[in-house]
């Protein structure tokens, strides 16, 4: 993950609260935020938007052999979530006893993603909980 | 005086039963269940800590209050299990609810009563006119030493209360609050120690009972109120038995405390304990009803509150997630080995 706390700091709003943006010209929503709208180019009018975290599972997969960072987590699910407002977001799916399924409704929750050893930073992040 | 404009609770979905802990230590589950009046306790997920619990509770409180998080002028997070020794939990919470940057923020620690201490501080800031709204949180993922009696009760959960002065938004007025404090070595944890130490079973009397009765009687003196004036009472709940005993000592009935008595089904959520009990009581309270809340924190001290429910409580429930619904939501039982793994005691090397 991050090599520096400054890169964490820049991404906090996106990671904690799914803050992306929307083009006021064509209403297309983006997460992560884009500087220019893909459709409108020079005509784009980007406004910050906090997505409310509701969405559905577009696809998912079970991770059995995780990267070192998540070695204590496996097995766990990650998925592509289609947010209610449109954007596709990748994220961890919380194990709450509800088997993930395509089209299944989820909601973003605030969780610990990764802890840097015994002395480093704690990285908080959204994860999606099946409803 | 300042009043409550919204609240939210979070309790992790995992539970472990007294039977599953007792089995490991060859103890008699039935006598523990009876002796402590507890059936099961909540356990945090591997990816939950006092900060994540606080954020989830705070988000629910913001929705219930119907305010924008940037309207908060202060936010205090009370816990005895702050994830960092230096780096305030409350900073993570304020970012987690998008409260912006223009607010006073600090962490508090007073064993199990840091949440109610935060409420008193917020009230002072509101009544002095320094802020319009403030949030006080009690949140913990507490741990008992394996094999210690505390292992049956130490659990995880939190509650966030938003206070304000806005007449149309207040669901319950705080009529009066007082505290009772002394230097009592009943329970402690030194910097760097993983588990707390305590003075054993004989510390109940000089700790819990002396301070709760001290603060509650002081509240009676200063308000002229008596137990029968209250519809409900909530006392700190280190187990399911102490609050019943202290209620009887003070002249309250079992019926007055049963709605707010959550420890038998979720365990002792430490800083969350009395606030979750208050939330569960507000979930069902009717306009005009009066609630007594007395917290307790080892070390030691108690904060006592006389609270009166307003007419706004019913209309504001449309955005409320009730405590019992949160307790039952996706509730998942785990065994002792999964419990150790969730707490990080077992790791892959
Ligand atoms: Zn566009």
């Amino acid at each position: 993950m991050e090599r520096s706390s400054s890169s964490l700091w820049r991404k906090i709003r996106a990671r904690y609260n799914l803050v992306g943006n929307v083009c006021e010209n064509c209403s297309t929503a983006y997460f992560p935020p884009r500087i220019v709208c893909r459709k409108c180019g020079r005509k784009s009018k980007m406004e910050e938007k906090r997505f409310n975290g509701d969405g559905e599972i577009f696809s998912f997969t079970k991770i059995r052999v995780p990267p070192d960072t998540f070695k204590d987590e496996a097995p766990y699910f990650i998925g592509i979530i289609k947010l209610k407002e449109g954007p596709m977001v990748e994220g961890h799916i919380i194990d709450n006893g509800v088997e993930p399924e395509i089209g299944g409704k989820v909601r973003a929750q605030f969780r610990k993603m990764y802890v840097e050893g015994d002395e480093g930073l704690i990285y908080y992040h959204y994860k999606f909980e099946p409803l | 005086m300042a009043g409550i404009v919204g609240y939210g609770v979070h309790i992790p979905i995992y539970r472990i039963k007294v039977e599953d802990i007792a089995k490991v230590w060859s103890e008699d589950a039935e006598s523990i269940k009876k002796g402590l009046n507890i059936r099961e306790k909540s356990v945090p997920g591997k990816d939950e800590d006092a900060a994540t619990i606080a954020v989830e509770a705070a988000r629910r409180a913001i929705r219930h209050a119907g305010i924008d998080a940037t309207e908060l002028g202060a936010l205090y997070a009370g816990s005895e299990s702050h994830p960092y020794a230096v780096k305030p939990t409350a900073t993570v919470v304020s970012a987690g609810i998008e409260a912006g940057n223009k607010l006073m923020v600090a962490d508090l620690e007073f064993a199990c009563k840091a949440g109610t201490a935060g409420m008193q501080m917020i009230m002072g800031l509101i009544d002095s006119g320094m802020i319009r709204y403030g949030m006080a949180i009690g949140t913990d993922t507490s741990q008992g030493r394996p094999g210690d009696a505390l292992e049956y009760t130490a659990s995880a959960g939190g509650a966030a209360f938003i206070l304000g002065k806005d007449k149309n938004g207040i669901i319950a007025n705080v009529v009066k609050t007082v505290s009772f404090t002394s230097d009592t070595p009943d329970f402690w944890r030194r910097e760097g120690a993983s588990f707390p130490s305590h003075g054993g079973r004989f510390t109940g009397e000089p700790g819990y009972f002396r301070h709760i009765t001290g603060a509650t009687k002081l509240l009676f003196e200063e308000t002229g109120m008596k137990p029968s004036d209250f519809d409900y009472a909530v006392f700190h709940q280190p187990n399911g038995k102490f609050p019943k005993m202290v209620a009887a000592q003070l002249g309250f009935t079992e019926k007055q405390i049963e709605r707010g008595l959550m420890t038998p089904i979720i365990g002792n959520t430490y800083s969350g304990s009395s606030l979750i009990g208050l939330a569960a009581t507000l979930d069902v309270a009717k306009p005009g009803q009066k609630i007594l809340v007395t917290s307790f924190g080892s070390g030691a001290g108690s904060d006592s509150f006389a609270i009166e429910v307003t007419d706004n409580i019913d209309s504001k429930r449309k955005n409320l997630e009730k405590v019992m619904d949160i307790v039952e939501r996706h509730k998942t039982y785990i065994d002792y080995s999964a419990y150790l793994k969730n707490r990080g005691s077992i790791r892959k090397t």
Side-chain angles (χ1 to χ4, degrees), chain A residues 7-20 31 33 48-51 110 124-126, chain B residues 59 70 94-101:
Chain A
S7 117
L8 160 76
W9 183 57
R10 280 196 302 274
K11 292 173 187 158
I12 273 184
R13 298 191 65 216
R15 287 183 174 178
Y16 285 14
N17 281 297
L18 288 159
V19 176
F31 186 87
E48 184 181 282
K49 180 171 175 63
R50 177 180 172 187
F51 300 108
F110 187 82
Y124 295 102
H125 209 284
Y126 59 79
Chain B
R59 286 176 176 175
T70 56
S94 59
I97 60 174
E98 289 267 304
N101 308 110

Side-chain angles (χ1 to χ4, degrees), chain B residues 80 143-145 148 150 187-189 193-198 270:
Chain B
E80 61 110 56
Q143 301 207 351
R145 198 184 297 273
D148 189 283
L150 286 181
F187 175 97
W188 62 92
R189 179 166 66 81
S194 301
F195 299 110
S197 304
H198 55 86
Y270 282 58

